[in-house]
Amino acid sequence: MNIFRFLGDLSHLASIFILLHKIQTTRSCRGISFRTQALYVVVFIARYLDLFFRYVSLYNSAMKLFFIASSCYILYLMKIRYRPTHDPSIDTFRVEYLLAPCLILALIFNYKFNFAEVLWSFSIWLEAVAILPQLFMLQRTGEAENITTHYLAALGAYRALYIPNWIYRYFTEGLVDPIAVTAGIVQTGLYLDFFYVYFTKVLQGQKFELPA
Amino acid sequence: GNVVVQHDEL
């Protein structure tokens, strides 16, 4: 564990707490893509099934359980508790266009051709693009509540912080994980436009609005 | 050598 990965994980945790806080305090999931949240459930279950056969550390297991449980809870909040506040008519990104290519990438790029490893690779690629329905929705509405942008910023920062972690691990442990690194760079890249608007508008006290 | 990835990250 190094400081970059730890801060990345904290940022990921923070993003979930911000999202839960947004839903609970506004009693609404307006502006949040159900499709993106559902993809995260798929990502976490696919990747963290290794809880059953791989033990890394208490920290690792606790985080995995938290990410699975919290992502399922968010789906429950969106689909049942605050269902009327979710507007499916603006959440229309076709997730098949993400799932199928990720499955193909996982079949081609994996560390071993077995079920667990292909599933792991699939979850890594899917995580990289799971934010697209949310960003697509943001693009369509052209604006977002401040709290939603803080959620997205924390979520984007999480994988961005893994990049210096991988550089650090390469130099200290000689360790390279080409699949995670490639997908992580793609994932961070998808946030660049968002980060630009977040830093130049939201953090300057303005509302998050995209140019028409 | 072989790529040995430990999957010790989240």
Side-chain angles (χ1 to χ4, degrees):
Chain A
M1 177 62 72
N2 59 62
I3 188 72
F4 305 110
R5 181 145 54 111
F6 184 60
L7 287 178
D9 290 344
L10 284 189
S11 185
H12 195 186
L13 272 186
S15 75
I16 290 166
F17 284 116
I18 295 168
L19 178 59
L20 286 171
H21 179 78
K22 177 251 175 317
I23 296 174
Q24 309 276 20
T25 53
T26 64
R27 304 184 59 79
S28 157
C29 46
R30 195 168 72 92
I32 304 298
S33 164
F34 178 80
R35 292 174 185 229
T36 281
Q37 298 305 322
L39 289 178
Y40 283 130
V41 171
V42 176
V43 165
F44 293 141
I45 290 179
R47 192 175 318 157
Y48 299 157
L49 271 183
D50 71 357
L51 274 167
F52 290 109
F53 57 86
R54 182 186 290 121
Y55 180 78
V56 177
S57 63
L58 181 62
Y59 169 85
N60 186 276
S61 299
M63 292 291 252
K64 285 174 174 172
L65 287 172
F66 176 81
F67 289 127
I68 292 173
S70 61
S71 61
C72 292
Y73 180 59
I74 288 164
L75 277 201
Y76 156 78
L77 289 178
M78 295 190 78
K79 206 72 200 171
I80 298 164
R81 187 97 182 261
Y82 299 118
R83 190 191 181 100
T85 64
H86 175 246
D87 182 1
S89 69
I90 52 166
D91 187 14
T92 53
F93 194 95
R94 299 287 295 267
V95 293
E96 308 88 283
Y97 297 151
L98 301 178
L99 291 166
C102 287
L103 186 61
I104 293 166
L105 282 172
L107 290 168
I108 301 171
F109 302 103
N110 53 67
Y111 295 125
K112 217 176 179 189
F113 197 75
N114 64 35
F115 184 73
E117 287 294 322
V118 170
L119 204 62
W120 178 87
S121 176
F122 171 72
S123 82
I124 290 284
W125 297 112
L126 188 61
E127 184 190 333
V129 295
I131 199 62
L132 284 174
Q134 177 67 61
L135 293 178
F136 181 71
M137 199 168 148
L138 208 63
Q139 199 69 245
R140 279 188 74 165
T141 52
E143 54 164 35
E145 292 169 79
N146 269 348
I147 183 109
T148 303
T149 65
H150 298 324
Y151 159 67
L152 286 169
L155 189 59
Y158 139 66
R159 219 51 176 175
L161 283 161
Y162 264 63
I163 296 172
N165 153 66
W166 291 318
I167 296 170
Y168 183 87
R169 293 194 81 177
Y170 171 73
F171 285 109
T172 56
E173 301 167 54
L175 208 117
V176 189
D177 185 335
I179 295 174
V181 170
T182 309
I185 291 170
V186 170
Q187 184 166 345
T188 303
L190 294 180
Y191 282 89
L192 292 180
D193 271 354
F194 165 81
F195 276 138
Y196 178 76
V197 182
Y198 184 74
F199 283 116
T200 57
K201 284 200 168 174
V202 180
L203 291 187
Q204 313 294 326
Q206 299 171 43
K207 193 176 158 45
F208 184 94
E209 269 173 331
L210 296 173
Chain B
N2 288 327
V3 181
V4 181
V5 176
Q6 303 161 332
H7 294 321
D8 59 353
E9 297 183 342
L10 291 163

